[in-house]
Amino acid sequence: VTIPTGRVTSWAPNLYAGRVMTRDIDVSPDGTAVYVVSSGGDNPPAGDTAVKFPTTGTGNVAPIWVNRVKDTIEAVAAADDAVYIGGHLRSVDNGTKVRTRLAALDPVTGTGLDWDPRASGFRGVLDLTLGEAGLLVGSDGTHVGHRTPSARFGLLPVVAA
């Protein structure tokens, strides 16, 4: 579906098959990209990954970037300066950057940013919502943001521009 008109197109990334489950989707603030997070085992390029697709093109649209997280991602929220992901994740960038349940990715390159507030929980972060006050985080854990006790949710500052 095109964002400006709502018309159905043939845009259909063919990355998600088999055991992979799409967990969440968000559109970039400027409408030029779609971010998809998934679960389904370490099954690249789709399982346990964050993926950026262009909103243009037809047919089997190729991803712009893929970040292997190697664990379930439940939520994504896109801002101009960062793409926030949350779930049961323990690292980003194919295991090279440790992150606990929360991470921020560069929207251009897909690589992990230094932002690392951490959260707890078995499934971890289950929902992310961006607002003017910051990033609202919902989880099944007791901590959101470096040992800050929470009632299974918290409000965190976002990546500075």
Side-chain angles (χ1 to χ4, degrees):
V1 176
T2 63
I3 293 170
T5 66
R7 296 174 63 187
V8 175
T9 70
S10 65
W11 184 91
N14 190 18
L15 207 61
Y16 302 91
R19 317 175 322 148
V20 176
M21 292 180 283
T22 298
R23 294 293 194 169
D24 198 14
I25 298 170
D26 200 10
V27 177
S28 64
D30 66 4
T32 62
V34 175
Y35 300 96
V36 181
V37 295
S38 66
S39 67
D42 185 26
N43 185 21
D48 296 347
T49 58
V51 182
K52 178 182 181 179
F53 291 101
T55 54
T56 59
T58 57
N60 185 10
V61 178
I64 295 169
W65 52 253
V66 176
N67 190 309
R68 286 180 69 194
V69 175
K70 297 184 178 182
D71 218 330
T72 298
I73 310 173
E74 300 279 359
V76 61
D80 288 326
D81 299 319
V83 177
Y84 299 93
I85 59 173
H88 190 252
L89 61 107
R90 292 169 286 194
S91 67
V92 295
D93 297 347
N94 201 22
T96 62
K97 289 182 183 168
V98 174
R99 296 291 182 269
T100 307
R101 309 298 189 253
L102 277 169
L105 307 176
D106 183 298
V108 176
T109 65
T111 58
L113 299 174
D114 290 338
W115 187 81
D116 185 19
R118 301 182 188 151
S120 65
F122 177 73
R123 285 181 56 203
V125 172
L126 304 172
D127 193 33
L128 296 171
T129 302
L130 276 166
E132 290 183 24
L135 182 69
L136 186 61
V137 178
S139 79
D140 67 348
T142 57
H143 295 85
V144 174
H146 294 290
R147 296 185 177 85
T148 303
S150 73
R152 305 217 188 273
F153 64 90
L155 183 65
L156 298 173
V158 295
V159 172

